[in-house]
Amino acid sequence: MVTSSNSHQKILLTGVNGQVGHALQALFSKHAGYSDAIIALDRTELDLTDADAIRRVVAAIKPDIIINPAAYTAVDKAETAPELAYAINATAPKILAEEAAKAGATLIHFSTDYVYAGAKSSPYVEDDATQPLSVYGKSKLAGEDAIRAVGLPHLIFRTSWVYGAYGNNFLKTILRLASERDALRIVADQLGAPTSSHSIAEAVLAVLSQLENGKPQNEVTGVYHLVNAGQTSWHGFATAIVEEYTRLQVDRNWPPLKVTLANIHAIGTRDFPTPAVRPANSCLDCSKLARNFSVTLPNWRDALVAELQNLTQFRSP
Ligand SMILES: NC(=O)c1ccc[n+]([C@@H]2O[C@H](COP(=O)([O-])OP(=O)(O)OC[C@H]3O[C@@H](n4cnc5c(N)ncnc54)[C@H](OP(=O)(O)O)[C@@H]3O)[C@@H](O)[C@H]2O)c1
């Protein structure tokens, strides 16, 4: 646990060892005031399957803001573990919301593009009908609904395709496979926005500072799309990873990849069956975030280059 006194409001952060939790903690620790304002808990310090623990921790800390990036994120495994997925993604946010309401705190929560069916031909806006195709998507939507039902001041950020230098994600998997194999086959008919954990953290910090500076909560409470700008397919993302890594590698003495761009083959979703069905269109329109908070996230490809540069500070792929 990381904690001390502060000049900012007191923030309780869950899931600090996850991609978004880690990025938030890393960013907060660089900002004077925030590093002291945050109480960041991992799963051993706050297990979200333990309702009593949630109530006890929130009552003891009395936060002004709760940020909850912790989640059950194993999309395919959720198909055969619905009870656990719902416990963490639906029941826990409900209890967090109830306890936040008692403490007079604002709840900042994260959700997903997988709440949509993906049949729309243009980017989704927040008012579009939800129709999750997977247990994971349904459990995340149930969490959103539970927070809305409690009726406290809240922000729910629906994000997509999260990756970064820290954690297990598509970027890491592609770099590993590209260094082991001559050829890759990647799905090209699912569209969305790869979103770096650092971009999410930067955007959340920008929003948070506006809340702290008195932005009226009743005017901004609700659900927001929060993804890097632009769109691509998983195949486009994989190609960009290999391309940008190869470009950066020349000057940095990084190990070369085995795969060449010509050998990253586009395949269809039907050629790569998974237990959970994914939406074909995961593109999210972020105009509401820009309108209400003047926050826009960088283009996904620029964010990728930034994350690649961070990656090598940890280990080469
Ligand atoms: N990853 C994506 O592509 C993606 C896409 C769209 C939306 N989102 C949403 O964005 C948010 C952040 O995702 P992420 O990528 O940062 O997820 P992540 O890297 O999988 O991290 C999830 C965190 O939740 C923690 N956690 C799991 N079960 C827990 C429990 N019972 N009690 C307490 N903590 C628990 C995990 O703890 P351990 O470290 O101990 O395992 C982990 O630190 C989530 O709401 C997710 O649904 C993610």
Side-chain angles (χ1 to χ4, degrees):
M1 188 196 303
V2 184
T3 176
S4 68
S5 66
N6 68 87
S7 56
H8 286 278
Q9 294 188 308
K10 199 192 282 182
I11 301 165
L12 168 58
L13 174 67
T14 69
V16 70
N17 290 334
Q19 298 188 80
V20 172
H22 182 270
L24 281 164
Q25 166 75 344
L27 192 62
F28 282 132
S29 68
K30 286 188 200 146
H31 283 75
Y34 276 118
S35 58
D36 295 333
I38 194 152
I39 297 155
L41 304 180
D42 64 20
R43 187 204 294 249
T44 63
E45 295 163 314
L46 177 57
D47 181 349
L48 291 182
T49 61
D50 184 344
D52 289 340
I54 300 174
R55 293 195 181 96
R56 215 172 34 245
V57 165
V58 177
I61 292 173
K62 297 186 184 61
D64 301 297
I65 294 164
I66 298 175
I67 307 181
N68 180 42
Y72 184 96
T73 56
V75 175
D76 288 317
K77 279 191 190 158
E79 294 297 311
T80 49
E83 284 174 16
L84 187 55
Y86 270 82
I88 298 168
N89 293 345
T91 308
K94 173 179 183 287
I95 298 166
L96 275 173
E98 288 168 353
E99 295 308 305
K102 282 186 207 159
T106 299
L107 178 60
I108 297 180
H109 181 71
F110 295 88
S111 188
T112 170
D113 50 321
Y114 287 6
V115 297
Y116 298 114
K120 198 180 171 188
S121 56
S122 56
Y124 281 89
V125 293
E126 289 83 349
D127 290 339
D128 280 327
T130 51
Q131 193 192 332
L133 306 174
S134 60
V135 168
Y136 167 74
K138 286 175 188 161
S139 71
K140 293 295 293 184
L141 182 59
E144 287 192 17
D145 288 340
I147 292 168
R148 283 187 279 269
V150 171
L152 81 168
H154 67 268
L155 299 172
I156 297 170
F157 293 126
R158 287 183 189 147
T159 188
S160 71
W161 299 19
V162 180
Y163 72 95
Y166 177 88
N168 294 319
N169 51 60
F170 188 81
L171 167 65
K172 301 282 213 43
T173 302
I174 290 299
L175 287 177
R176 180 174 52 77
L177 294 177
S179 62
E180 292 168 1
R181 298 186 186 176
D182 294 323
L184 301 177
R185 299 166 74 244
I186 311 286
V187 170
D189 57 1
Q190 291 169 30
L191 299 180
T195 301
S196 83
S197 50
H198 180 72
S199 297
I200 294 173
E202 291 269 13
V204 170
L205 186 65
V207 166
L208 197 56
S209 67
Q210 293 179 43
L211 294 183
E212 286 197 308
N213 286 326
K215 196 165 187 85
Q217 303 243 357
N218 57 345
E219 288 175 17
V220 293
T221 202
V223 64
Y224 290 84
H225 292 165
L226 190 157
V227 297
N228 276 127
Q231 66 178 65
T232 186
S233 65
W234 290 110
H235 177 264
F237 187 25
T239 304
I241 290 168
V242 170
E243 226 165 31
E244 295 296 352
Y245 178 94
T246 306
R247 195 173 57 77
L248 292 168
Q249 178 231 344
V250 177
D251 292 334
R252 288 174 172 76
N253 207 20
W254 294 347
L257 299 176
K258 202 168 176 190
V259 86
T260 58
L261 286 175
N263 282 327
I264 305 175
H265 303 294
I267 61 167
T269 299
R270 74 173 68 152
D271 301 318
F272 188 71
T274 52
V277 179
R278 270 90 169 152
N281 176 16
S282 273
C283 299
L284 306 182
D285 181 314
C286 295
S287 316
K288 185 178 171 190
L289 186 71
R291 223 170 29 245
N292 284 4
F293 291 101
S294 305
V295 168
T296 52
L297 279 71
N299 182 271
W300 68 267
R301 191 150 183 143
D302 296 335
L304 168 63
V305 172
E307 286 295 330
L308 275 171
Q309 284 164 337
N310 279 337
L311 182 70
T312 55
Q313 291 171 9
F314 292 90
R315 69 181 98 95
S316 46

